[in-house]
Amino acid sequence: MDPLYASSIFFLGLAFGSFLNVCIYRLPLGLSVVAPRSACPHCKRPIAFYDNLPVISWLLLRGRCRNCKTKISARYLFIEVLTGVLFLGCYAYFGLTLATLKYCVFGFLLLGLIFMDAETKLLPDKLTLPGLALGLVFSSIVPVNDVASQFLPGMLDLPFSADLAARLFSLFDSLLGAALGASFIYGAGAVYLRWRGMEGMGFGDVKLMAMAGAFLGMKLTIFTIFTASLAGSLFGLATVLMVWVKRTHRFTRRLANLQAARRRGWQSAQMVYRHYQMPFGVFLGSMALLALFVGNQFLRWYGRLWW
């Protein structure tokens, strides 16, 4: 990596991370991300430009508002640094190419949606729908990294150039990825609703997966869905077991019979399982980021196990 380009892209990521913090706070509330200017949520005083510098301002102010001294969450610092690292990672992986721009945009959108879903369980259309459109547009400029998009045009006798054919196949792969991602999540939500009588996944997850599919293509969309389902299941199981252990310990103090305490603890854990709303968008977004960097390598490794 060129040190000048690397540092510039990292600092650009910090700046976009600062803007992403604004989006995460305002979009779930239905507020504009442009106006009014940033202000302290506690004292409502506008934040001066010198107190709004990514990372530096938070460190100099020691994580507090200059006016009212209210504590500012370290999440703001974390998201700025994470966005910078993500941008730098895209540059390190794809070089100084349009692919870096494409996947920096994708990562920016995913990070915002991941943190919004974790905090508010909302996935705003103002990120997912423009993201879907951008994914389709980018697929015709930066071909989706899929076997069909790369080799199929050269194997067919087409009445136009190989480059145009590759772009068309890439767009088609992007459309298939979006359709597959959206339809799978929608179908899984419909099955869950019929089985449990309650909504398991909302349309926000459907749109998120359509956006991811548009950027990643069909092959990595399948990888994302599979790994996100696995990660979500493990998280749900760990949550149930944690609640069971904690509630069993609490009931042990009240009940002399350990077996009865375990039974009561398990009943309590089952209640949590029935009513806990898991932010599945967190797992979909995280695994889409994982697919971006290691998805193809994993699929090649997995394919060699069977061939």
Side-chain angles (χ1 to χ4, degrees), residues 9 12-13 16 82-92 100 104 108:
I9 290 172
L12 183 66
F16 272 91
L82 184 60
T83 308
V85 170
L86 178 63
F87 277 34
L88 183 60
C90 289
Y91 168 60
T100 296
C104 281
F108 173 85

Side-chain angles (χ1 to χ4, degrees), residues 125-246:
D125 290 349
K126 289 185 178 180
L127 286 185
T128 54
L129 295 183
L132 171 60
L134 285 171
L136 294 174
V137 170
F138 268 121
S139 70
S140 63
I141 302 171
V142 182
V144 173
N145 188 19
D146 204 328
V147 175
S149 299
Q150 294 178 28
F151 297 107
L152 192 56
M155 299 169 60
L156 300 176
D157 185 18
L158 299 172
F160 37 80
S161 68
D163 180 67
L164 178 58
R167 294 177 186 276
L168 290 175
F169 273 96
S170 177
L171 178 59
F172 182 62
D173 192 10
S174 178
L175 287 167
L176 284 179
L180 175 65
S183 59
F184 184 90
I185 298 301
Y186 179 80
V191 170
Y192 187 91
L193 178 63
R194 183 176 294 272
W195 174 42
R196 298 290 300 275
M198 58 188 298
E199 187 178 89
M201 282 177 278
F203 277 103
D205 295 309
V206 174
K207 296 167 190 173
L208 166 60
M209 204 57 232
M211 182 193 83
F215 273 94
L216 296 174
M218 188 168 62
K219 182 176 64 174
L220 291 182
T221 296
I222 296 172
F223 172 87
T224 300
I225 292 172
F226 174 76
T227 53
S229 300
L230 180 62
S233 298
L234 291 175
F235 177 82
L237 179 61
T239 301
V240 170
L241 291 176
M242 189 184 305
V243 172
W244 181 37
V245 171
K246 286 186 176 181

Side-chain angles (χ1 to χ4, degrees), residues 16 47 50 59 67 91-92 108 122 131 134-135 165 185 214 292 305:
F16 272 91
I47 299 174
Y50 48 80
L59 294 175
N67 300 301
Y91 168 60
F108 173 85
L122 294 174
L134 285 171
I185 298 301
L292 174 60
L305 295 179

Side-chain angles (χ1 to χ4, degrees), residues 4 21 36 46 61 73 78 87 92-93 98 101 103 113 122 124 133 156 161 165 174 183 218 244 261-262 303 306:
L4 180 61
N21 279 317
L61 294 172
S73 173
F78 177 72
F87 277 34
Y93 194 84
L98 284 174
L101 174 62
Y103 293 118
L113 291 165
L122 294 174
L156 300 176
S161 68
S174 178
S183 59
M218 188 168 62
W244 181 37
R262 288 176 178 171
W306 298 97

